[in-house]
Amino acid sequence: LTASNLSGTSPSKSVILTVAPEKPLFSTSEVANPANLSGLKLWLDSRDSNTIFSDTALSSLSTSSVGGWKDKSGNNNHAVQSTSANRPTTTSSGIQFDGSNDGFTLTNDISEANLNIFLVLQGYGFAFANNGTDRALFLSSNQNLYWTFNSSHTFSNVTVSSYSASTSQLLEFSLNSGTAKLRLNGTEASSQGSVSGNFKIDRIGLQWDETTGQPTWTGKLMEIIAVSTTTDRAEIEGYLAHKWGLTNG
């Protein structure tokens, strides 16, 4: 950049001008089609209206309550709810959960030694769980994290400073080689080692089978992708961030 006075007669001076975004951007590299991801276990996409059904048989498309959310991974791990009163509703910006009893069970349990679950969501409460042993939730009071593996409180009341229940965010819950990590908007937020057993999930938005004062998911779930490898992490984050208009935290 060259600057001079208004007449243009004074000696010019070189000025270095640096322009940067307010927040760093996600990778510009993104997966073209998540169906082709290596190790894909689950893909639920609320923006695809052809995967949102009013019934558990996935036979009638829905424009209101959701009885079935079709898995696009090809593994038939569909999210279903047979009780009409406990069905979330579909909106233009995601699947809405009431925080009272809305939620889904998966038609097949997912249990992997290495698993990475990416979620675009907004809210608090139980994000996912497994029958009586595993759960991940953000507390209703302060949005601190509880994440349990095999009945062990691996993350217990952990503060995630950048998490906000009022805005849409991209989370990755992962377990690889015995280390569990939470990534928030492309940045590692918390990590714990020496985790034993598999990463298991059999329900979305619902509580596990134990007495708890915490609500079912209260807010929206937009998209969920689960894979058994970290190979395509940057591309998955880029795909979800660009699709849902997110930036790094």
Side-chain angles (χ1 to χ4, degrees):
L1 178 66
T2 300
S4 64
N5 64 13
L6 292 178
S7 66
T9 59
S10 65
S12 63
K13 182 178 181 180
S14 295
V15 178
I16 297 174
L17 180 64
T18 301
V19 179
E22 181 181 357
K23 294 183 178 180
L25 302 177
F26 282 94
S27 170
T28 56
S29 176
E30 59 182 272
V31 60
N33 183 359
N36 298 325
L37 285 169
S38 176
L40 181 63
K41 302 299 178 181
L42 176 70
W43 179 18
L44 301 174
D45 178 7
S46 71
R47 189 163 288 179
D48 185 349
S49 60
N50 290 318
T51 67
I52 308 299
F53 293 85
S54 61
D55 60 319
T56 59
L58 309 180
S59 60
S60 300
L61 293 176
S62 176
T63 57
S64 55
S65 66
V66 182
W69 193 359
K70 186 176 181 180
D71 173 25
K72 297 170 68 173
S73 75
N75 296 311
N76 295 319
N77 293 322
H78 312 303
V80 297
Q81 175 55 261
S82 58
T83 302
S84 297
N86 298 350
R87 290 174 176 171
T89 56
T90 181
T91 75
S92 60
S93 57
I95 304 296
Q96 179 72 51
F97 295 72
D98 66 4
S100 175
N101 48 30
D102 286 358
F104 300 109
T105 58
L106 296 180
T107 50
N108 299 297
D109 290 10
I110 297 174
S111 177
E112 299 286 338
N114 298 304
L115 189 65
N116 311 273
I117 301 180
F118 299 82
L119 304 97
V120 180
L121 50 70
Q122 171 270 312
Y124 60 87
F126 279 81
F128 57 83
N130 186 77
N131 185 14
T133 62
D134 297 60
R135 58 176 175 168
L137 71 144
F138 292 93
L139 297 182
S140 58
S141 58
N142 55 15
Q143 283 80 69
N144 282 1
L145 172 68
Y146 271 87
W147 187 8
T148 300
F149 289 89
N150 300 298
S151 301
S152 175
H153 297 296
T154 306
F155 296 78
S156 181
N157 203 24
V158 173
T159 299
V160 183
S161 58
S162 298
Y163 186 81
S164 171
S166 62
T167 60
S168 299
Q169 299 183 74
L170 170 56
L171 301 179
E172 181 198 351
F173 293 86
S174 67
L175 177 66
N176 292 286
S177 301
T179 296
K181 294 183 178 181
L182 172 69
R183 287 171 62 86
L184 172 63
N185 295 329
T187 301
E188 185 175 314
S190 192
S191 176
Q192 295 287 341
S194 302
V195 177
S196 61
N198 286 2
F199 187 166
K200 302 187 291 293
I201 174 174
D202 70 1
R203 64 198 68 186
I204 295 169
L206 291 175
Q207 301 165 343
W208 67 348
D209 291 341
E210 183 175 283
T211 301
T212 175
Q214 294 301 313
T216 55
W217 188 249
T218 307
K220 293 179 180 178
L221 291 175
M222 293 77 162
E223 190 157 355
I224 303 173
I225 295 175
V227 294
S228 59
T229 174
T230 60
T231 302
D232 301 308
R233 170 179 283 152
E235 289 77 11
I236 296 172
E237 287 181 340
Y239 161 81
L240 291 171
H242 299 146
K243 179 175 179 176
W244 294 100
L246 307 175
T247 57
N248 296 69

